[in-house]
Amino acid sequence: MTFDRIIDDGRLWAVRYDDEQDNALYALFEQWNDVTWLRAFFKENKEDLTSYFNITDINEAIEDTIDDSERLQCLIMDISPEADLDQLFRPLENYRTGDMLLGMEKARLKNTLRHSSWLRIYAIKLSQGIYIITGGAIKLTLRMDEREHTKRELRKMESVRRFLLEENIIDNEGFEDYVNTI
């Protein structure tokens, strides 16, 4: 795996997994804007869409996803130098209140017009305000371990975290040293 710098000041990175053409963030936004992929996803997960969000129209779900994806992409890609990424990314576990070593985090839209956003971007927190995006998902259930596609995102976060620890990377300084030597 390698890492792509998303914003110039080095506060936001994305994993590029081996054998993948693009990094996790760009691949995610491409997927969330692919109507064919979204239609297949929502057909496969229609029961969750209906029971958790009371949405029965797949076209509505597709439109909502594309709208939220565009808003989230603007939010991520237009991060100003004075923006606080710690306000965007929150602990993955809702009950966790403090920082942890290479904590697993999530970002999502807070204010949506229709319903809570089901889009999630997952990341590892290197240091205060510095993150590595590992992937993301359309989360239609309460817990990530309820569906295979969200379990896969958990495994990816754990894999990146394990990789960082194996490389003795525990903070931003160690990460910068690592990316500057490869």
Side-chain angles (χ1 to χ4, degrees), residues 2 5-6 26 41 44 78 126 138 140 156 161 172:
T2 59
R5 185 185 309 261
I6 300 301
Y26 296 159
F41 176 85
E44 184 177 323
D78 294 334
L126 285 171
I138 298 174
L140 299 175
K156 286 167 43 179
R161 187 174 190 276
N172 186 48

Side-chain angles (χ1 to χ4, degrees), residues 26-91:
Y26 296 159
L28 192 60
F29 285 130
E30 185 174 318
Q31 187 177 62
W32 288 345
N33 285 285
D34 180 341
V35 173
T36 304
W37 184 90
L38 290 171
R39 185 171 308 288
F41 176 85
F42 285 119
K43 280 184 180 179
E44 184 177 323
N45 295 280
K46 186 165 177 119
E47 187 175 311
D48 292 336
L49 183 65
T50 303
S51 62
Y52 285 92
F53 289 91
N54 296 320
I55 295 175
T56 57
D57 183 355
I58 287 177
N59 290 324
E60 178 184 342
I62 291 169
E63 186 178 312
D64 289 355
T65 301
I66 291 171
D67 288 348
D68 284 356
S69 173
E70 288 173 1
R71 288 184 56 219
L72 197 51
Q73 186 171 0
C74 286
L75 188 64
I76 294 280
M77 302 311 287
D78 294 334
I79 295 172
S80 66
E82 54 279 339
D84 182 4
L85 291 180
D86 292 329
Q87 295 299 312
L88 176 63
F89 288 94
R90 310 305 294 162

